[in-house]
Amino acid sequence: MSSPARPFNVEQLVADLRAQLGDRVTTGESHRELHSHGESWHTPGRPDVVVFPETTEEVAAVVRIAASHRAPVVPFGAGSSLEGHVSALQGGISLDLTRMNRILRVSADDLDATVQAGVTRKQLSKHVNPMGLEFWVDPGADATIGGMASTRASGTTAVRYGTMREAVLGLTVVLADGRVIHTGSRARKSAAGYDLTRLFVGAEGTLGVLTEVTLRLFGLPDAISAAICPFTTFEGAVRTVITTLQLGIPIARIEFLDDRMVDAINRYSKTSYAVQPTLFFEFHGISERAVSEQAEAVQAIAREHGGTAFEWATTPEARTTLWQARHNVHHAGVALRPGCQMWVTDVCVPISQLAECLLETKSELATLPLTTPIVGHVGDGNFHVLCVVNPDDAEEMAVAKAMNERLVRRALRMGGTCTGEHGVGFGKMGYLEEEHGEAIEVMKAIKRALDPLNLMNPGKMVRV
Amino acid sequence: MSSPARPFNVEQLVADLRAQLGDRVTTGESHRELHSHGESWHTPGRPDVVVFPETTEEVAAVVRIAASHRAPVVPFGAGSSLEGHVSALQGGISLDLTRMNRILRVSADDLDATVQAGVTRKQLSKHVNPMGLEFWVDPGADATIGGMASTRASGTTAVRYGTMREAVLGLTVVLADGRVIHTGSRARKSAAGYDLTRLFVGAEGTLGVLTEVTLRLFGLPDAISAAICPFTTFEGAVRTVITTLQLGIPIARIEFLDDRMVDAINRYSKTSYAVQPTLFFEFHGISERAVSEQAEAVQAIAREHGGTAFEWATTPEARTTLWQARHNVHHAGVALRPGCQMWVTDVCVPISQLAECLLETKSELATLPLTTPIVGHVGDGNFHVLCVVNPDDAEEMAVAKAMNERLVRRALRMGGTCTGEHGVGFGKMGYLEEEHGEAIEVMKAIKRALDPLNLMNPGKMVRV
């Protein structure tokens, strides 16, 4: 397949890139196809060329070449994006960062590490676990740290350890004109200047390319236990979460699954959990005693709210079974309709609104011809409808789209957000405008100030 | 005293402001003097007029009037700034927000609150404590929430509860042209767009005026205890902190005082603590048992590092005595030289560098003719030299200035920051440039994009 006409000279662009990176530049069809999409149903966008830089300086050189040609630069990590972030909508360069996979520094005393952007979270965990350390942000996929920072990712442990917003202490960023800056500090806190670190975290590559990330780590807890508890009602489960947080019980994970999701898990993982609204818990502490105390306190709260069958998983094996089942929700969902794909919604609401939001959503879903289990990071008020769709069925896709739209508007009405952790990409640009109103103009002003040629992941986040 | 010549018509400016705010506009000498400085030795800057808006709409009207006259707008809260943030260096309007002191909303279920920017932290605490809630960021002074957000303040509890960076969930901001935007969301997390909340937090009023702040609260802990422990060496105290954090002991406060500081406290507070490097601790937990377990673990760690005289303060009275002594360090410092003022340094370094940074600093201070007790939020790597100076003694001020400069450069060399929590104002603009290098240009680009006329707290933060 030849490229569509571009406002830049593709051949000359490729020649200039080859002069810089040699054989780490490819225009092969398979590479271009692979780099045209993430893991979602969104329209792919094929880059003209894929490059594999290994250092910040090489990224800067690529960005300077791109600027000289007025060609777009689209960063690419593990390709696990769910909102079309990595599609090269206007062609140009897919900047594959996976060869920037070196862990540059770990400090056990400072509980931090600096890594190249292409390091994956599992790679980092494996590296730091023997030092008694852990990087806790866990979005499920084995995403790259650069991708996770760029989408402000989170996951099951955010309720205790925060999201990438809290986890990133500093960045090395290649700006749109190829300049390299360092943001933040290795100091644990700073009041020195505008918070550029937090500005680039979640900017989805639209303001510059992240090449190195300094991250906060934690000591591995001395004791861990887990539990599962079915509830008679949604409200009971949510009220259990609210009371747990109010009491300051430092719960490490608190995950919600609706009855459909539990059923799907049972089928897929050969488990036999009660098919009811269910909470999965994990407790971390400085001792077995501390962990037991937390778990007993939560058990007592659950009992008051219709969660009577609290079941412990204290052995590592039982914990693994439980969390393996939780981690497999995507596979379990897709297994409900083999051959289909997942359209994953991602609203997040104030937790006081969560029960109502879930109930309204469930009652709407009951009327739709869709397969829609629900899973949620309820400690944060974030839940996903795992809408299993056939992307080739236009009618079904329209139903799913309308459902997502109503869900987003429901969340916004309740003071929530259109995306808790998956980001905007080009899938949610319209909702972003609805959510932020006039503040969108400030985002556009920043985009124009830092990327005046609109070459950094163009067509994503904001319309400039 | 008449105003110096201004590039805007002061009389007409005042007339326009009066048309909007009536008698909540003053040009009285005493008001202008009061609004010309914070609590530091920095050169004051007298505004031409002081206004007292009561709503976001009134702030927007004031900012629009200011823009039409090309007159600066300098937000003013409690006036407890330490780096000259509130000085009206180029005259114009001092925007006193203290009448915007309404607590707009508290949600115990969501553990959050929305307040007008002029609410003070003690006012908020007093309001939410009866609901079993607490706002934990504690910079010492009874600062306004708007001021604390603007300087990214923190204090003794940041090690557990974070700084204003983590505490602020959303903002209402009046932009330089009078437009009003809302940033963030009441959802606990969001991946929706550029993180404008974190951009305005710490921007010191140079990008817009904060008028409303949504804050994260916590449940009041069921159990609290405190302790004090003198150490034979600095290194022992710092190593105790490092190990405590590595083990994940959720310590609520961990404060360092050097021997001079302990001595000053003993004199001022009539206490009899051992005159040695000392740590003050506070433990919060879900039960007495949980708190005892934390404290015992820390006691064991301290013992290994030369902290043998660990002393408990379990009764509320003993705790109050201990923390009252800690809170009075400023008074205790000034009491060493009655009639003098405090020049407070504010570096923050990676905790692995803290012992070395403290030792180098102490050995330099020993050679200087200055009174310089040290106090630090060591869990964050942040410490303050409380340099008690006579601002009228130019020679002494020059010695203090040179000491501060060497201290900042020492911290930067160690990967730290020139300001952990006091901010930049105009006192640290040069150091900000040294710290951030090329990234300063990004800050300037943002400043120019959002405040093209340079009217929002001009002469602070970045030179544009």
Side-chain angles (χ1 to χ4, degrees):
Chain A
M1 195 186 91
S2 68
S3 295
R6 302 291 191 200
F8 48 89
N9 183 325
V10 174
E11 271 181 32
Q12 191 55 51
L13 172 68
V14 172
D16 287 355
L17 291 167
R18 288 227 163 95
Q20 191 70 44
L21 295 185
D23 63 0
R24 287 179 286 117
V25 174
T26 177
T27 55
E29 286 300 316
S30 65
H31 275 296
R32 289 171 57 210
E33 199 288 320
L34 182 71
H35 288 80
S36 70
H37 59 84
E39 285 181 1
S40 63
W41 52 270
H42 295 85
T43 317
R46 194 175 276 228
D48 298 301
V49 54
V50 183
V51 300
F52 298 89
E54 292 175 356
T55 64
T56 296
E57 293 65 35
E58 286 188 349
V59 172
V62 168
V63 169
R64 279 194 299 269
I65 292 168
S68 73
H69 286 271
R70 304 290 192 265
V73 176
V74 183
F76 194 99
S80 50
S81 149
L82 291 173
E83 291 294 343
H85 303 84
V86 296
S87 300
L89 299 175
Q90 304 168 21
I93 303 167
S94 180
L95 189 74
D96 186 312
L97 290 147
T98 54
R99 295 202 195 173
M100 290 189 65
N101 61 357
R102 283 186 302 131
I103 294 165
L104 303 171
R105 187 191 62 74
V106 179
S107 167
D109 278 359
D110 293 313
L111 295 170
D112 69 4
T114 301
V115 304
Q116 285 188 312
V119 167
T120 71
R121 66 174 184 90
K122 286 186 183 171
Q123 180 192 349
L124 179 59
S125 271
K126 204 171 155 186
H127 186 86
V128 301
N129 284 171
M131 306 174 193
L133 304 173
E134 184 58 289
F135 171 67
W136 275 116
V137 183
D138 171 11
D142 189 19
T144 62
I145 298 297
M148 288 170 63
S150 285
T151 52
R152 205 179 294 127
S154 48
T156 55
T157 57
V159 64
R160 164 96 173 237
Y161 297 101
T163 73
M164 289 304 275
R165 181 175 74 193
E166 288 79 30
V168 178
L169 299 172
L171 294 166
T172 299
V173 184
V174 175
L175 299 176
D177 59 5
R179 276 178 302 162
V180 176
I181 63 165
H182 304 282
T183 74
S185 160
R186 285 195 53 232
R188 197 39 72 100
K189 69 183 190 187
S190 170
Y194 303 150
D195 191 344
L196 299 184
T197 304
R198 250 55 55 182
L199 181 64
F200 285 103
V201 167
E204 305 185 352
T206 62
L207 300 178
V209 181
L210 312 188
T211 60
E212 293 178 12
V213 187
T214 296
L215 294 165
R216 187 172 182 184
L217 305 175
F218 289 86
L220 275 170
D222 281 330
I224 298 183
S225 80
I228 182 169
C229 185
F231 285 79
T232 39
T233 62
F234 275 170
E235 294 92 328
V238 171
R239 185 48 58 184
T240 297
V241 176
I242 290 174
T243 306
T244 297
L245 298 178
Q246 281 175 332
L247 290 178
I249 300 168
I251 196 152
R253 307 187 205 240
I254 187 161
E255 294 282 302
F256 172 80
L257 296 84
D258 80 342
D259 48 345
R260 285 194 191 187
M261 191 74 250
V262 175
D263 185 47
I265 279 186
N266 281 341
R267 289 165 197 261
Y268 183 81
S269 296
K270 316 284 179 231
T271 46
S272 52
Y273 299 125
V275 179
Q276 284 176 240
T278 297
L279 291 178
F280 280 36
F281 305 94
E282 189 165 286
F283 306 95
H284 296 174
I286 58 172
S287 67
E288 296 296 343
R289 196 174 73 171
V291 157
S292 298
E293 190 179 8
Q294 289 178 41
E296 282 160 17
V298 174
Q299 182 170 16
I301 296 164
R303 198 180 298 122
E304 281 174 37
H305 296 102
T308 48
F310 198 91
E311 195 181 313
W312 297 75
T314 42
T315 67
E317 297 71 32
R319 274 212 319 278
T320 302
T321 304
L322 192 156
W323 287 108
Q324 201 60 51
R326 167 62 189 84
H327 267 125
N328 282 335
V329 292
H330 279 72
H331 298 301
V334 170
L336 295 173
R337 287 183 71 189
C340 283
Q341 258 192 293
M342 198 79 89
W343 180 329
V344 188
T345 74
D346 183 36
V347 300
C348 186
V349 295
I351 200 162
S352 62
Q353 308 295 306
L354 183 58
E356 192 183 334
C357 191
L358 276 168
L359 280 170
E360 276 188 29
T361 304
K362 281 288 280 185
S363 82
E364 179 188 342
L365 292 175
T367 69
L368 298 179
L370 294 171
T371 304
T372 52
I374 293 176
V375 61
H377 313 307
V378 280
D380 312 313
N382 183 208
F383 68 90
H384 308 298
V385 178
L386 304 184
C387 193
V388 192
V389 289
N390 174 2
D392 299 327
D393 182 336
E395 202 172 317
E396 186 177 315
M397 290 300 278
V399 173
K401 183 163 188 273
M403 178 276 290
N404 185 41
E405 187 154 301
R406 281 189 297 273
L407 177 53
V408 166
R409 296 206 170 125
R410 185 175 303 132
L412 296 184
R413 197 177 70 231
M414 293 177 171
T417 177
C418 67
T419 170
E421 56 184 12
H422 295 166
V424 178
F426 68 93
K428 284 193 170 151
M429 290 170 71
Y431 301 139
L432 192 75
E433 290 169 4
E434 290 187 35
E435 180 170 338
H436 290 295
E438 188 72 22
I440 276 281
E441 298 306 320
V442 176
M443 297 188 195
K444 288 182 185 173
I446 292 169
K447 167 73 173 172
R448 283 188 294 258
L450 300 191
D451 180 24
L453 301 174
N454 191 24
L455 298 177
M456 307 311 284
N457 208 0
K460 317 289 166 64
M461 185 68 83
V462 286
R463 303 175 218 270
V464 285
Chain B
M1 194 186 91
S2 70
S3 296
R6 303 290 192 202
F8 48 89
N9 184 326
V10 175
E11 271 181 32
Q12 191 56 53
L13 172 68
V14 172
D16 287 357
L17 290 167
R18 287 229 164 93
Q20 191 70 43
L21 295 186
D23 62 1
R24 287 179 287 118
V25 174
T26 176
T27 55
E29 286 301 315
S30 65
H31 275 295
R32 289 171 56 210
E33 199 288 320
L34 181 72
H35 288 81
S36 70
H37 59 84
E39 286 182 1
S40 63
W41 51 270
H42 295 84
T43 316
R46 195 175 276 228
D48 299 301
V49 53
V50 183
V51 300
F52 297 88
E54 291 176 357
T55 63
T56 296
E57 292 65 35
E58 287 188 348
V59 172
V62 168
V63 169
R64 278 193 301 269
I65 292 168
S68 73
H69 286 272
R70 304 290 192 264
V73 176
V74 183
F76 195 100
S80 50
S81 150
L82 291 174
E83 292 293 343
H85 303 84
V86 296
S87 300
L89 299 175
Q90 303 168 22
I93 302 167
S94 179
L95 190 74
D96 186 312
L97 291 147
T98 54
R99 294 203 195 172
M100 290 189 64
N101 62 357
R102 282 186 301 131
I103 293 165
L104 303 171
R105 186 191 62 75
V106 179
S107 167
D109 278 359
D110 293 314
L111 295 170
D112 69 5
T114 301
V115 304
Q116 286 188 312
V119 167
T120 72
R121 68 172 184 90
K122 286 186 184 172
Q123 179 192 350
L124 178 58
S125 272
K126 203 171 154 186
H127 186 86
V128 301
N129 285 172
M131 305 174 193
L133 304 173
E134 184 58 288
F135 171 67
W136 275 115
V137 184
D138 171 10
D142 190 19
T144 62
I145 298 297
M148 288 171 63
S150 285
T151 53
R152 206 181 293 126
S154 48
T156 56
T157 57
V159 65
R160 165 97 174 237
Y161 297 102
T163 73
M164 289 303 275
R165 181 175 74 194
E166 288 79 29
V168 178
L169 300 172
L171 294 167
T172 299
V173 184
V174 175
L175 300 176
D177 59 5
R179 275 178 301 163
V180 176
I181 63 164
H182 304 282
T183 74
S185 159
R186 284 196 53 232
R188 195 40 71 100
K189 69 183 190 187
S190 171
Y194 303 150
D195 191 343
L196 299 183
T197 304
R198 249 56 55 183
L199 181 64
F200 285 102
V201 168
E204 305 186 352
T206 63
L207 301 177
V209 181
L210 312 188
T211 59
E212 293 178 12
V213 187
T214 295
L215 293 165
R216 187 171 181 186
L217 305 176
F218 289 87
L220 275 170
D222 280 331
I224 299 182
S225 80
I228 181 170
C229 185
F231 286 80
T232 41
T233 63
F234 274 171
E235 295 92 328
V238 171
R239 185 48 59 184
T240 298
V241 176
I242 289 174
T243 306
T244 297
L245 297 178
Q246 280 176 331
L247 291 178
I249 299 169
I251 196 151
R253 306 188 205 241
I254 187 161
E255 294 282 301
F256 172 81
L257 295 84
D258 79 343
D259 48 346
R260 285 194 190 188
M261 191 74 251
V262 175
D263 185 46
I265 279 186
N266 281 342
R267 289 165 196 260
Y268 183 82
S269 295
K270 317 282 177 233
T271 45
S272 52
Y273 299 125
V275 180
Q276 284 176 239
T278 297
L279 291 178
F280 279 36
F281 305 93
E282 189 165 286
F283 306 95
H284 296 175
I286 57 173
S287 66
E288 295 296 341
R289 197 173 73 171
V291 158
S292 298
E293 189 178 10
Q294 290 178 39
E296 282 160 18
V298 172
Q299 183 170 15
I301 298 164
R303 198 180 298 121
E304 281 175 36
H305 296 102
T308 48
F310 198 92
E311 196 181 311
W312 297 74
T314 41
T315 66
E317 297 70 30
R319 273 211 321 277
T320 302
T321 304
L322 193 155
W323 288 109
Q324 200 61 52
R326 166 63 189 84
H327 266 125
N328 281 335
V329 291
H330 280 71
H331 298 302
V334 170
L336 296 173
R337 287 184 71 190
C340 284
Q341 257 191 294
M342 198 79 90
W343 180 329
V344 188
T345 75
D346 183 37
V347 301
C348 186
V349 295
I351 200 162
S352 62
Q353 309 296 305
L354 183 58
E356 192 183 334
C357 192
L358 276 168
L359 280 170
E360 276 188 29
T361 304
K362 280 288 279 185
S363 82
E364 181 188 342
L365 291 175
T367 69
L368 298 178
L370 295 170
T371 304
T372 51
I374 293 177
V375 62
H377 313 306
V378 281
D380 313 312
N382 184 207
F383 69 91
H384 308 298
V385 179
L386 305 184
C387 194
V388 192
V389 290
N390 174 1
D392 299 327
D393 182 337
E395 204 173 316
E396 185 178 316
M397 290 299 280
V399 173
K401 181 163 190 274
M403 179 277 291
N404 184 42
E405 186 155 302
R406 280 189 298 274
L407 177 53
V408 166
R409 296 207 170 123
R410 186 176 302 132
L412 296 184
R413 198 176 70 232
M414 293 178 171
T417 178
C418 67
T419 170
E421 56 184 12
H422 295 165
V424 178
F426 69 94
K428 285 194 169 150
M429 290 170 71
Y431 300 139
L432 193 74
E433 291 169 3
E434 291 187 35
E435 179 169 339
H436 290 293
E438 188 72 22
I440 276 282
E441 298 306 319
V442 176
M443 297 187 196
K444 289 182 185 173
I446 291 169
K447 168 73 174 172
R448 284 188 294 258
L450 300 192
D451 180 23
L453 300 174
N454 191 25
L455 298 177
M456 307 310 284
N457 208 0
K460 317 289 167 66
M461 185 69 82
V462 287
R463 303 176 217 270
V464 286

